[in-house]
Amino acid sequence: VRRLPRHKAIMAYTYTTPWLLVVAELLILVSITESKVPAIIVFGDSTVDAGNNNVYPTLLKSNFRPYGRDFAGGRPTGRFSNGRIPPDFISEAFGLKPTVPAYLDPAYNISDFATGVCFASAGTGYDNATSDVFKVIPMWKELEYYKEYQNKLRAYVGKDKANEILNEALYLMSLGTNDFLENYYLSPKRQSQFTVQQYEDFLIGLAGNFIRELYSLGVRKISLTGLPPMGCLPLERTINILGKNECLEKFNNVALEFNGKLNGLVERLNKELPGLRLLSTDVYKILDQIIKKPSLYGEKGMLCYRQIRISYLCNKLSPFTCSDANKYVFWDAFHPTEKTNHIVVNSFLDKLLAYFR
């Protein structure tokens, strides 16, 4: 069943329901929105970066067309997609704004960030060495920005109201793929230090420490996203020439193994930290289904951007970008189209809404 945004659901309701019942429905929806999740706050990598890399000294940016081609106004925002990304859809589903702005975007200020803010940076990972690959924002720096944001919010709405927002907000964490594909499997240093299983455990330890730090700052509601079938990303399939450009199952198996350990971490931390509501969000299964049978989801092919697929990003000229991104699973060599992002969010949205309301 397709979920209508709240404003559309209310409009549809008014045509078929007596006005007194409409008023009652409105009051219920307002009560839910005001009392549960007042803001969406985001940490992670390019899967959730709303444009922080735009103003950071890195080459890993998407602040040019065709990125953002299907975003409101057709403008590139720094989101690594043709349109919106998962936090945007999640924010809208919780009755908040339809987009979550990037903290470093000079077009926004604390009044915009009061209901949602993104600290994510494309190319980052749990491992600080991962952020060094593309010289992007490491997770410790994302945390420093969050602390700065806390102080700004308290100055803007007052200490008590700010603490309420920060405590009741839903925090999204989405990262880990870069740690393996851009760091471990390309870095002799990390491979000399760890077996892949040991590196998984190393990352799990870093993830746990990050969540404990958030908890110490008053955070209580966290959705932690696992790894996708990273062996099926277009770039990985392109370089798998000997495997006839099929998915690299070695990478997919690592993703599944890591996700299992991530689930174990969630279970442990929920027991360890009183009042914490930590939820593991699985994107592997739905993306695997879309990739294997895109026609079931109204998509006909894998990659919208059809230039040489060894490239990590689209090119500014992009002469071979598809005309309708809704027909494709991936936008560029790493990142899903807006439609795929929406399908993925819808696959776990009911669980998210039920757990954090």
Side-chain angles (χ1 to χ4, degrees):
V1 177
R2 185 170 68 90
R3 181 182 299 275
L4 288 172
R6 277 195 174 88
H7 66 284
K8 292 183 179 179
I10 292 169
M11 288 174 64
Y13 201 79
T14 61
Y15 289 110
T16 58
T17 311
W19 70 272
L20 286 175
L21 293 179
V22 173
V23 172
E25 179 77 354
L26 282 168
L27 290 174
I28 291 170
L29 290 175
V30 169
S31 176
I32 290 172
T33 301
E34 288 185 348
S35 64
K36 297 300 178 181
V37 174
I40 301 294
I41 298 176
V42 186
F43 297 97
D45 58 19
S46 61
T47 57
V48 290
D49 183 0
N52 286 305
N53 277 18
N54 289 356
V55 294
Y56 206 75
T58 174
L59 294 176
L60 192 54
K61 304 177 190 288
S62 60
N63 57 346
F64 53 86
R65 285 181 63 85
Y67 288 100
R69 189 183 69 186
D70 300 307
F71 195 80
R75 59 189 179 88
T77 62
R79 288 169 172 81
F80 286 75
S81 181
N82 60 302
R84 290 196 289 169
I85 54 178
D88 299 324
F89 293 113
I90 293 170
S91 176
E92 185 176 51
F94 275 93
L96 301 170
K97 293 183 295 189
T99 58
V100 179
Y103 183 65
L104 298 183
D105 190 332
Y108 300 97
N109 56 43
I110 191 61
S111 65
D112 302 297
F113 300 146
T115 56
V117 60
C118 172
F119 300 100
S121 174
T124 202
Y126 291 108
D127 185 353
N128 285 335
T130 301
S131 63
D132 291 339
V133 175
F134 287 109
K135 306 301 179 185
V136 297
I137 305 170
M139 288 300 286
W140 66 263
K141 185 65 175 179
E142 289 189 24
L143 192 64
E144 289 301 309
Y145 284 138
Y146 172 65
K147 293 176 183 177
E148 182 181 85
Y149 162 73
Q150 284 190 322
N151 292 331
K152 289 181 179 179
L153 189 65
R154 289 179 179 124
Y156 177 64
V157 298
K159 183 178 179 181
D160 291 342
K161 181 63 177 177
N163 288 342
E164 179 185 343
I165 292 172
L166 296 168
N167 184 258
E168 294 295 330
L170 172 57
Y171 294 76
L172 308 178
M173 287 178 59
S174 178
L175 68 162
T177 301
N178 295 318
D179 288 306
F180 292 99
L181 299 186
E182 303 302 326
N183 184 7
Y184 183 80
Y185 284 109
L186 296 180
S187 169
K189 180 180 179 180
R190 281 299 186 232
Q191 290 186 48
S192 69
Q193 293 174 313
F194 305 102
T195 65
V196 66
Q197 287 76 23
Q198 290 171 337
Y199 190 63
E200 292 167 9
D201 294 339
F202 173 66
L203 297 180
I204 292 295
L206 295 174
N209 290 340
F210 189 85
I211 292 168
R212 289 185 185 93
E213 182 68 20
L214 287 177
Y215 180 85
S216 73
L217 295 169
V219 174
R220 292 297 180 269
K221 300 177 181 179
I222 305 174
S223 172
L224 180 61
T225 302
L227 299 182
M230 56 189 185
C232 292
L233 296 176
L235 179 61
E236 303 310 320
R237 293 181 66 170
T238 297
I239 63 178
N240 187 24
I241 299 172
L242 296 179
K244 299 181 179 180
N245 300 120
E246 294 297 324
C247 296
L248 280 164
E249 292 306 321
K250 177 179 75 171
F251 290 168
N252 285 350
N253 291 336
V254 168
L256 288 170
E257 190 171 61
F258 181 80
N259 289 346
K261 294 179 179 181
L262 209 60
N263 291 339
L265 174 68
V266 168
E267 186 176 345
R268 291 194 301 275
L269 290 179
N270 277 326
K271 292 178 181 177
E272 174 188 329
L273 304 173
L276 178 66
R277 302 182 69 188
L278 177 61
L279 180 69
S280 178
T281 305
D282 176 32
V283 296
Y284 186 102
K285 184 177 180 180
I286 183 64
L287 272 172
D288 187 53
Q289 291 173 349
I290 297 171
I291 290 165
K292 289 178 178 176
K293 296 184 178 179
S295 61
L296 294 180
Y297 299 88
E299 296 171 328
K300 70 176 184 180
M302 282 293 294
L303 189 64
C304 176
Y305 178 67
R306 298 190 296 277
Q307 206 170 13
I308 300 172
R309 292 189 295 174
I310 200 68
S311 174
Y312 185 84
L313 303 176
C314 294
N315 182 275
K316 292 184 179 182
L317 300 177
S318 301
F320 302 110
T321 303
C322 68
S323 60
D324 185 0
N326 286 333
K327 295 178 180 178
Y328 293 87
V329 179
F330 288 96
W331 171 246
D332 63 18
F334 260 66
H335 307 102
T337 59
E338 178 184 65
K339 181 179 179 181
T340 301
N341 282 330
H342 203 178
I343 294 170
V344 169
V345 169
N346 281 343
S347 74
F348 60 75
L349 190 55
D350 285 342
K351 181 180 179 182
L352 210 63
L353 290 168
Y355 192 75
F356 292 111
R357 276 183 175 175

